[in-house]
Amino acid sequence: MDMLWSGWGDPAKAAPLPEEVVGLLRDLLGVRPADAPATALAAVAPRPSRLTGEARTALEAAVGEEYVRGDDETRVRHTRGKSTPDLLRIRAGEVGDAPDAVVLPADHDEVLAVLAACTEHRVAVVPFGGGTSVVGGLAPRGSQAHVAFVALDLRRMNRLVALDEVSRTATLQPGLRGPEVEALLAERGYTLGHFPQSFEWATIGGFAAARSSGQASAGFGRFDDMVTALQVATPRGTLDLGRAPRSAAGPDLRQLVLGSEGAFGVITSVTVRIHPTADTKVYEGWRFPSFAQGQAALRTLAQDGPMPTVLRLSDETETMIGLAKPDAIGSGLSSDAGCLAIVGYEGTADEVAHRKARVHTALSAARGEPLGEDPGTGWAHGRYNAPYLRDALLDAGAFAETLETAAFWSDIPALYEAVRTALTRSLTDAGTPPLVMCHVSHVYPAGASLYFTVVSAQGKDPVAHWAPAKRAANDAILAAGGTISHHHGVGTDHRDWYAREIGPLGVEVLHAVKDRLDPAGILNPGILLPPLPAV
Amino acid sequence: MDMLWSGWGDPAKAAPLPEEVVGLLRDLLGVRPADAPATALAAVAPRPSRLTGEARTALEAAVGEEYVRGDDETRVRHTRGKSTPDLLRIRAGEVGDAPDAVVLPADHDEVLAVLAACTEHRVAVVPFGGGTSVVGGLAPRGSQAHVAFVALDLRRMNRLVALDEVSRTATLQPGLRGPEVEALLAERGYTLGHFPQSFEWATIGGFAAARSSGQASAGFGRFDDMVTALQVATPRGTLDLGRAPRSAAGPDLRQLVLGSEGAFGVITSVTVRIHPTADTKVYEGWRFPSFAQGQAALRTLAQDGPMPTVLRLSDETETMIGLAKPDAIGSGLSSDAGCLAIVGYEGTADEVAHRKARVHTALSAARGEPLGEDPGTGWAHGRYNAPYLRDALLDAGAFAETLETAAFWSDIPALYEAVRTALTRSLTDAGTPPLVMCHVSHVYPAGASLYFTVVSAQGKDPVAHWAPAKRAANDAILAAGGTISHHHGVGTDHRDWYAREIGPLGVEVLHAVKDRLDPAGILNPGILLPPLPAV
C-alpha cells in the first residue's frame, strides 16, 4: 500500500479532531478552520521530466523498462518527505521538487548499474525508502552539475537475506519496512526491537542512513547500535563493512556510512542484531512532581540501572495536553501538577517481573508515583498515531511540527529553556503564539534527547512563519551545546547547523570522503553536506 | 618512572622463571638458554639524528628548547614498541628505527605548532603515549617525503581537565597513564573501568587511537564505548567532536578518529564516561567440560544477560598450563579435563550479590562448575603480569608472542581451529614446534574475541621464525571471516591484512581523509594505511 500522498500513512486511518480539541485550539491558540479546500492528487502536475532519452535508455538498461517510472502520480508520490512544511506545500499542489523519474532496482548490482548510468548522464540520485524524512532529506538542492534527478525507490529490495541464530543477527535488504521486518523475524521467533514513530512506513535502509532511534531504545538501543555489518553501493564500487561485532582494525567505517543519508552511497544490505520475541510486554505510567525531578529519575536509571525497555517523560505542558496518548488527545486534560513518564518492559515473564521490581524501587526513591498500566497501555495503543494527529490538526487549521536534539545531562536544563523560549518568541512575534511541549525521548548514561512539539494557528503563511522559528530553535540548540539532531537526521533543513556543529574541518573531511566515493557528485546533492566555501 | 628500555614495565618487578617451568619448556618445547648476553643500554647507539638545524629550531620554538630531546637514551627509549619482535631486536641492540628526536608538547596549541613546524620542514611525527604498541605502531615506514622523524611524547599532557558529576563524564589529557587516571578519578569517588593488560603503562590517547579494550569490558565496555567527545590537533587545524552521547547528525566522526592510530591527527583531549567507585569486587573461577561448552555459556550471558564485569574463558591448553595466573605459571599444572573461566563482578555489594546469583544460575544451567574465589583472586592478582612473564621467557631462551581477533559467534569455532593450525604448522616447519593457547577475551551479543598465546623455542633466528607464522595466522583469520585485530590495532604489522579486510575502496576512503587532514603526509607515515596502488 502507498502512503497518503499529501499526508501520513493509511488514508483509511485518518480521523478528524474531536470537537473538544477543536474548541480548545480555538480558545487557546486562535486556530480557525482553513478555508482553502485540499488539492486533489489528479490536479497536481509536476513539471515535464528533464530526463534525456539517452539517460532513460541507460536507466532502463540497468533495471528493466518497467522499473523506470515517469508518470505524474509516481513522481508526486516521491516528492519530498513528511515534514510539516513538506505537507503544507504538497497540500497546496506545489511539487516543484518532484523527481524527473522514479527508478526501482531489484538488487545490489542493479543499484551499481543505476549509479554508473547516472554518473555518465549527469543525473542526480536520491535514495528513497519509506519517504518519511522530516528534514528535507529527499529534496536535493540545485546543482548545475546535474540535468535531472531520479528517486531510487528501494521497495523491490525487500528480502530477509540471512538469519544467523547462533550470532543472533539478520541480514536485511534496505527496502523492508518496519512491520515487514518484524513479520519475517517473528516467523523464526525473533524481533528486531526497532520501533520509531515512523515504524509502519520507514525502511531498514532509511533507519541506517539517518541513524534512527526507536521508542524501545532504552532496551534495544538505537538503530546504529543494532547494525553489525553493511553493504554499500557507491559510484566507485562496493563497500563491505563489518567482520566482527567490534574491532580495533582502524576507524569504524560502518559509523561513517550510518548517518551518511545517501550522500556517500546506497545501503543495499544491513546486518542487524536480533532478539527472541518477547512473551511479556508491560507498559506503565508514572507521575513526577516536576520535569526536573522526572529527569533526575530517568538519569538514575540510565546511569545506575536497571533500564526498562521503553522510557519517556513528558514535561508539564505535554502532560497536561495528554500528548503521550495521541488517540485520546485532550480527553485526559487535567490541571494536575506533574509530569507523566511511560515506562515499559519487554522480555520473558520472569525477566520482566524482576526488572520491573527493581525499576519500581528506583523510581519510587526518586519521588515517582506509580499510575498503573492504564496510561502505559494508552500510550502503546497510540504509539504510531501522532503523525495522523498532525494531519488532523493541519486539516483543522492548526500548525503542528516537531524537532529534537540531544545533549549531555548537565546541558539539558538550559537547553530545554532556550529552545522553548526561542520557539515561543519567534512564533509569538509572527502573530501565532504557540503551545510548546517537550518530552525526554531517549536516555543514555551521559545525556538524553529532548523532543519538542509545537502547535499554533497557521496564520496567513505557516511555512513562512515556521522558518524563522525553526532557525531560532536550531540556533538555541547549538548555543546550548546540543546536537542539531538526535534521530531525525540532517537532510537539507539542518545542513547549515550541522556544518557549525562539526566545524569547517569536519565538513572538509566529509567532502573528501564524498569526492572519493562519488566524484561526479550525483548522490543526494545538497543533502547532509553544505557546499565547500570557495577557496 | 620510565619503562624498561629492553622489555616490559618496572625493572624492579622482573623475576626469572621458576625452575619447574624452565624444565617444562626444555622437555616440552626444546627450549635452551640463550647464550648471547643482553646488550646494555649504554652500548646502544642510534644513528646520528637527521633532524636539520632549521627543523630543530622550529620545534624548539614550538615547545621550548628543553622539550626537544636528542640524547641517545631518550631516542632509544622511544624506539618501536613492545611486540616480541620489537623486544628481540632491541635486546640485540638494533635501534635503526629510533626517532631523530623526541618532542614533548605541553598542550593542544603546542601540538598544533609542532605539526606546523613538521609540515614545513618535512619531518614525520609519531605520537607516543605509553610506547606499548604491539603492532609496530611506533615505527613509521620509510617515506621519501620526509627527511627525519620525531616521536611526539605526550607525557606532559597529563591533567584531568574537567569532571562532570551530573553527566558522569571526565575530560582527560592524552598523556595520562591508566593508574594516573584511576588515582585522579578515585579522589572524587569515580573509576573509568578501563583495565587492559597494558593498563600500568599505556595512556588515554593510546587507548583512543588504537581502540583498546580492557579486562573489565564485559561490565564497562570497550574504550571506544566510553568516549563521548574528542579534541584532535591536525596539520589543518582542530577537530572538536561530540556534543551529545549520541546523535543523528551525520556520520559519527568520533568513530573515524578512534582507531586512526595517529594517522589523521593527534588526540589532545578525550572525554569519557565514568562510574562510581565499586565498593565490592568479586572474581571467581568456573570450570567447563570443553572450550565449546564454555563458549556456549559465555554466549548465553552475552545474549540474554546478565553480564558480569569480567568474563574470560581459557581453552583446554591454556587451562592446563595455568596461563590465567601468570604469577603461578606451571604451578597449577594439571591434567584435569576442562576449561577455566574467570568471572568477576564489580559494583555495590547489593548489586554484585544480585547479579552474581543470576550469573550462577545461568552458568550452572550451561554445565559450568563453580570453583570458588581462589582461581579468580589468583587471576586478579596477576592480571597485569603476563608481559613480565614474557620477558622471563625470552631470558630463558623461549619465544612468546600473542595475537588476537574477533568474529561473529558462528565463525568462532572454525576460526579457532584455523589459527591454531596455521601457527602450529608454520612454527613446526621452522623447527620450533609451539604450544598454542587461546582464551575468549571479550564477548558481545553477536560475537567474541579470541586471544592466542604462542610459546616455542627461539631457534636460531626467532624474528625470522615468527614472521611467516604471524603471516599464516593473519591469513587464517581473514579467511575464516575474522577481523585482523580486536584490540591491538593495525600499526605496520597488520597493515596489509587490514587493507584486505576493508577492501581497496575502504583504503581509498581513509586516504581521502588523511590527504585532507595531513596533506604533507607527516603523521605516522606507513602506519595504519598502506600506500595507494600506483594508478
Side-chain angles (χ1 to χ4, degrees):
Chain A
M1 182 177 57
D2 279 323
M3 173 115 81
L4 176 62
W5 70 282
S6 60
W8 185 262
D10 177 358
K13 287 197 191 165
L17 286 185
E19 268 311 310
E20 61 268 37
V21 177
V22 173
L24 180 74
L25 289 168
R26 185 184 56 231
D27 299 345
L28 196 65
L29 301 173
V31 172
R32 292 284 177 281
D35 35 32
T39 308
L41 176 56
V44 178
R47 67 186 162 198
S49 173
R50 299 162 300 181
L51 205 63
T52 63
E54 292 78 11
R56 173 175 296 275
T57 303
L59 288 168
E60 288 174 354
V63 299
E65 192 179 332
E66 66 183 305
Y67 296 114
V68 181
R69 309 263 169 86
D71 61 283
D72 282 359
E73 179 175 335
T74 301
R75 291 174 62 200
V76 169
R77 286 185 180 281
H78 290 80
T79 299
R80 298 187 291 257
K82 298 295 179 183
S83 72
T84 299
D86 286 346
L87 299 189
L88 289 165
R89 290 166 67 199
I90 207 159
R91 280 163 169 253
E94 288 178 30
V95 290
D97 290 336
D100 295 288
V102 177
V103 179
L104 298 100
D107 58 26
H108 177 83
D109 288 345
E110 287 195 4
V111 174
L112 287 174
V114 168
L115 296 180
C118 288
T119 296
E120 184 180 350
H121 294 280
R122 296 171 56 212
V123 174
V125 179
V126 178
F128 192 102
T132 61
S133 171
V134 291
V135 293
L138 300 167
R141 290 273 176 92
S143 159
Q144 301 191 337
H146 312 109
V147 295
F149 94 88
V150 296
L152 189 73
D153 188 320
L154 299 161
R155 71 178 62 194
R156 292 175 66 207
M157 296 175 67
N158 62 353
R159 286 193 310 116
L160 168 64
V161 177
L163 194 151
D164 177 345
E165 299 198 75
V166 176
S167 308
R168 289 222 186 131
T169 62
T171 301
L172 304 165
Q173 287 191 323
L176 282 166
R177 290 181 182 173
E180 293 171 337
V181 172
E182 288 297 334
L184 286 166
L185 295 179
E187 284 176 23
R188 304 280 295 272
Y190 293 95
T191 178
L192 173 60
H194 187 62
F195 305 109
Q197 195 161 74
S198 60
F199 168 75
E200 294 170 308
W201 300 91
T203 59
I204 287 293
F207 295 150
R211 288 189 180 273
S212 174
S213 192
Q215 293 166 358
S217 69
F220 293 104
R222 300 163 57 84
F223 192 77
D224 50 21
D225 288 328
M226 300 176 185
V227 174
T228 61
L230 289 160
Q231 187 173 59
V232 189
T234 84
R236 295 283 319 288
T238 298
L239 284 171
D240 271 307
L241 304 171
R243 297 171 67 89
R246 302 296 291 272
S247 168
D252 190 343
L253 292 174
R254 298 174 295 200
Q255 299 293 332
L256 194 60
V257 171
L258 293 164
S260 64
E261 301 190 8
F264 298 161
V266 180
I267 296 167
T268 55
S269 167
V270 184
T271 303
V272 289
R273 289 175 48 200
I274 56 175
H275 308 265
T277 311
D279 55 20
T280 301
K281 299 184 181 187
V282 177
Y283 309 102
E284 305 174 320
W286 283 75
R287 191 196 309 279
F288 290 90
S290 70
F291 197 38
Q293 284 168 311
Q295 283 178 37
L298 268 56
R299 182 160 64 86
T300 296
L301 294 180
Q303 292 181 339
D304 298 326
M307 279 288 268
T309 311
V310 171
L311 188 58
R312 57 173 274 158
L313 171 74
S314 294
D315 72 356
E316 289 84 352
T317 311
E318 190 171 294
T319 300
M320 185 183 70
I321 298 295
L323 199 68
K325 292 189 286 178
D327 287 356
I329 182 81
S331 67
L333 199 69
S334 79
S335 58
D336 281 6
C339 292
L340 175 67
I342 302 296
V343 184
Y345 316 85
E346 302 179 7
T348 63
D350 261 12
E351 194 276 326
V352 162
H354 181 85
R355 190 155 43 116
K356 184 165 159 250
R358 292 176 62 219
V359 169
H360 273 237
T361 304
L363 292 183
S364 298
R367 301 199 56 192
E369 174 197 346
L371 304 178
E373 295 189 18
D374 277 359
T377 308
W379 167 84
H381 182 69
R383 62 193 289 185
Y384 306 123
N385 290 353
Y388 289 102
L389 174 62
R390 177 179 57 168
D391 282 348
L393 286 163
L394 296 181
D395 288 342
F399 174 89
E401 182 57 304
T402 63
L403 58 87
E404 41 77 49
T405 178
F408 294 107
W409 284 113
S410 51
D411 291 327
I412 290 281
L415 177 60
Y416 171 68
E417 289 304 334
V419 173
R420 287 214 306 171
T421 301
L423 290 167
T424 303
R425 276 197 192 149
S426 178
L427 286 167
T428 302
D429 287 352
T432 50
L435 190 67
V436 180
M437 297 164 277
C438 181
H439 63 266
V440 174
S441 63
H442 305 264
V443 299
Y444 304 93
S449 167
L450 293 180
Y451 187 99
F452 295 89
T453 301
V454 183
V455 179
S456 72
Q458 287 189 10
K460 286 207 174 130
D461 184 346
V463 174
H465 280 197
W466 177 241
K470 172 75 172 166
R471 282 198 300 271
N474 290 353
D475 287 343
I477 285 169
L478 285 204
T483 175
I484 197 60
S485 174
H486 170 267
H487 57 276
H488 284 167
V490 175
T492 47
D493 295 355
H494 291 154
R495 208 180 66 167
D496 297 340
W497 289 268
Y498 177 50
R500 285 161 55 188
E501 178 169 336
I502 63 172
L505 196 55
V507 172
E508 280 200 53
V509 166
L510 295 178
H511 270 288
V513 173
K514 180 167 176 72
D515 291 351
R516 195 68 63 119
L517 293 175
D518 177 26
I522 59 166
L523 282 164
N524 260 359
I527 287 165
L528 185 69
L529 291 178
L532 278 182
V535 181
Chain B
M1 184 175 56
D2 279 323
M3 174 116 85
L4 176 63
W5 70 282
S6 60
W8 185 262
D10 177 356
K13 288 197 190 165
L17 286 185
E19 269 310 310
E20 60 268 38
V21 178
V22 173
L24 179 75
L25 289 167
R26 186 183 57 230
D27 299 345
L28 195 66
L29 301 173
V31 171
R32 292 284 177 281
D35 35 33
T39 307
L41 175 56
V44 178
R47 66 185 163 198
S49 173
R50 298 162 301 180
L51 204 63
T52 63
E54 292 78 12
R56 173 175 297 275
T57 302
L59 288 168
E60 288 174 355
V63 299
E65 192 181 332
E66 66 182 306
Y67 295 114
V68 181
R69 308 263 169 87
D71 61 283
D72 282 359
E73 179 174 337
T74 301
R75 291 174 62 200
V76 168
R77 287 186 179 281
H78 290 80
T79 299
R80 299 187 290 257
K82 299 295 180 183
S83 72
T84 299
D86 287 346
L87 298 189
L88 289 165
R89 289 166 68 200
I90 206 159
R91 280 163 168 251
E94 286 178 31
V95 289
D97 290 335
D100 295 289
V102 177
V103 179
L104 299 100
D107 58 27
H108 177 83
D109 287 345
E110 288 194 5
V111 174
L112 287 174
V114 167
L115 297 180
C118 289
T119 296
E120 184 181 350
H121 295 280
R122 297 170 56 211
V123 174
V125 179
V126 178
F128 192 102
T132 61
S133 171
V134 292
V135 293
L138 299 168
R141 290 273 177 93
S143 159
Q144 301 191 338
H146 312 109
V147 295
F149 93 87
V150 297
L152 190 73
D153 188 321
L154 298 162
R155 71 179 61 193
R156 293 174 66 208
M157 297 175 66
N158 62 353
R159 286 193 308 116
L160 168 64
V161 177
L163 194 152
D164 177 344
E165 298 197 77
V166 175
S167 308
R168 287 219 187 137
T169 61
T171 300
L172 304 165
Q173 287 190 322
L176 282 167
R177 290 182 181 172
E180 293 171 337
V181 171
E182 289 296 335
L184 287 166
L185 295 179
E187 284 175 22
R188 304 280 295 271
Y190 293 96
T191 178
L192 172 59
H194 187 63
F195 306 108
Q197 196 162 74
S198 60
F199 168 74
E200 294 171 307
W201 299 90
T203 59
I204 288 292
F207 296 150
R211 290 188 180 272
S212 175
S213 192
Q215 293 166 356
S217 69
F220 293 105
R222 300 164 56 84
F223 192 76
D224 50 21
D225 288 328
M226 300 175 186
V227 174
T228 60
L230 289 160
Q231 186 173 58
V232 190
T234 85
R236 295 283 319 288
T238 298
L239 284 171
D240 272 307
L241 304 171
R243 297 170 66 89
R246 302 297 291 272
S247 168
D252 190 343
L253 292 175
R254 297 174 296 200
Q255 300 293 331
L256 195 60
V257 171
L258 293 163
S260 64
E261 301 190 7
F264 297 162
V266 179
I267 295 166
T268 54
S269 167
V270 183
T271 302
V272 289
R273 289 175 48 200
I274 55 174
H275 308 266
T277 310
D279 55 19
T280 300
K281 298 185 182 187
V282 177
Y283 309 103
E284 304 175 319
W286 283 76
R287 191 196 310 277
F288 291 91
S290 69
F291 197 38
Q293 284 168 310
Q295 282 178 38
L298 267 57
R299 182 160 64 85
T300 297
L301 294 181
Q303 292 181 339
D304 297 326
M307 280 288 269
T309 311
V310 170
L311 188 58
R312 58 173 274 158
L313 170 75
S314 294
D315 72 356
E316 289 85 350
T317 311
E318 190 172 294
T319 301
M320 186 183 69
I321 297 295
L323 199 68
K325 292 189 285 181
D327 287 357
I329 180 82
S331 67
L333 199 69
S334 81
S335 57
D336 281 5
C339 292
L340 175 68
I342 301 296
V343 185
Y345 315 85
E346 302 179 6
T348 62
D350 261 13
E351 194 276 327
V352 162
H354 182 86
R355 189 154 45 116
K356 184 165 160 247
R358 292 177 62 220
V359 169
H360 274 237
T361 303
L363 293 183
S364 298
R367 301 199 54 192
E369 174 198 344
L371 304 177
E373 294 189 19
D374 277 359
T377 308
W379 167 83
H381 182 71
R383 61 194 290 184
Y384 305 124
N385 290 352
Y388 289 103
L389 175 62
R390 177 178 58 167
D391 282 348
L393 286 164
L394 295 180
D395 289 341
F399 174 89
E401 183 56 303
T402 64
L403 57 88
E404 41 78 48
T405 178
F408 294 108
W409 284 113
S410 52
D411 291 327
I412 290 281
L415 177 61
Y416 171 68
E417 289 304 334
V419 173
R420 286 213 308 171
T421 301
L423 290 168
T424 302
R425 276 197 193 149
S426 178
L427 286 167
T428 302
D429 287 352
T432 50
L435 190 67
V436 179
M437 297 164 277
C438 181
H439 63 266
V440 175
S441 64
H442 305 263
V443 300
Y444 304 94
S449 168
L450 293 180
Y451 187 99
F452 294 89
T453 301
V454 183
V455 179
S456 73
Q458 287 189 8
K460 285 208 177 131
D461 184 345
V463 174
H465 280 196
W466 178 241
K470 172 76 172 166
R471 282 198 300 272
N474 290 353
D475 287 344
I477 285 169
L478 285 205
T483 176
I484 196 61
S485 174
H486 169 268
H487 57 276
H488 284 167
V490 175
T492 47
D493 295 355
H494 291 153
R495 208 179 67 166
D496 298 339
W497 288 269
Y498 176 52
R500 285 160 56 188
E501 178 169 337
I502 63 173
L505 196 55
V507 172
E508 280 199 52
V509 166
L510 295 178
H511 270 288
V513 173
K514 179 167 176 71
D515 291 350
R516 195 66 64 118
L517 294 174
D518 177 27
I522 59 165
L523 281 164
N524 260 359
I527 287 165
L528 185 69
L529 291 178
L532 279 181
V535 182

